[in-house]
Amino acid sequence: NFMLTQPHSVSESPGKTVTISCTRSSGSIASNYVQWYQQRPGSAPTTVLYEDDQRPSGVPDRFSGSIDSSSNSASLTISGLKTEDEADYYCQSYDSDNPVVFGGGTKLTVL
Amino acid sequence: EVQLVQSGAEVKKPGESLKISCKGSGYDFTTYWIGWVRQMPGKGLEWMGIIYPGDSDTRYSPSFQGQVTISADKSISTAYLQWSSLKASDTAMYYCARREGVTLNFDFWGQGALVTVSS
């Protein structure tokens, strides 16, 4: 089994840019797609990125994703931060033996 | 419109059994995997298992294998998560979610079902 490790929390000011990392413990991050989910308090998660860097319709282009094989990690970058972006963010991936693996989640505070 | 509607909140005692449901609509229920995800109070998302309603092929997370049973009734487009003997540590919000077949993304989620186990 592999794990996905995220920072517990990040904070940034409105209008700024923040990046949340997701590091895979074993196996290549590039071998399987990474999805990112946003969960606001009291709500179910929703997808903000799938297939590493694809945005579902309705997700603003302030949200972007990337993969870095050298650090074996995926990243979610949110630019032009808004107070409404304050939420928990989870990365998720898989492999042939593990159909679903979630990261521990990152609490984004926009202050 | 794709929707997953889960059954309501439950309050149970330790040792009791429980079956919660997730009804899909607006799409062909038999051709998408349905996953179950636990979220304990103040904690992160934990994948429990996944089922393909078309043939009831089911995979469990090792952490939940033997602790719960996942099933589906494709005739009524409903997936289930059940416990035979609840523990206080099963207190959590439980989400079902549809897994898109190509992207493997959980693209639609139920509203969640809060299960409280307390004596």
Side-chain angles (χ1 to χ4, degrees), chain A residues 33-46:
Chain A
Y33 288 126
V34 176
Q35 347 285 357
W36 288 91
Y37 304 96
Q38 176 193 69
Q39 187 180 32
R40 294 191 173 107
S43 296
T46 61

Side-chain angles (χ1 to χ4, degrees), chain A residues 77-94:
Chain A
T77 298
I78 311 172
S79 61
L81 275 169
K82 300 184 176 185
T83 55
E84 69 204 45
D85 298 331
E86 189 161 289
D88 295 325
Y89 291 85
Y90 296 90
C91 59
Q92 178 258 308
S93 192
Y94 55 91

Side-chain angles (χ1 to χ4, degrees), chain B residues 1-16:
Chain B
E1 178 196 8
V2 173
Q3 283 192 307
L4 294 174
V5 178
Q6 297 185 233
S7 47
E10 301 274 1
V11 179
K12 292 289 192 178
K13 290 182 166 42
E16 291 185 332

Side-chain angles (χ1 to χ4, degrees), chain A residues 1 33 35 37 39 43-47 49-51 90 92-94 99-100 102-104, chain B residues 37 39 43-47 50 59 62 95 99 102-107 109-112:
Chain A
N1 287 2
Y33 288 126
Q35 347 285 357
Y37 304 96
Q39 187 180 32
S43 296
T46 61
T47 305
L49 293 174
Y50 65 94
E51 287 187 344
Y90 296 90
Q92 178 258 308
S93 192
Y94 55 91
V100 181
F102 283 107
Chain B
V37 176
Q39 188 167 40
K43 301 299 184 182
L45 305 177
E46 299 175 89
W47 172 64
I50 198 162
R59 320 279 172 85
Y95 293 101
R99 191 174 205 184
V102 175
T103 67
L104 303 186
N105 169 47
F106 286 115
D107 59 354
W109 293 68
Q111 81 276 20

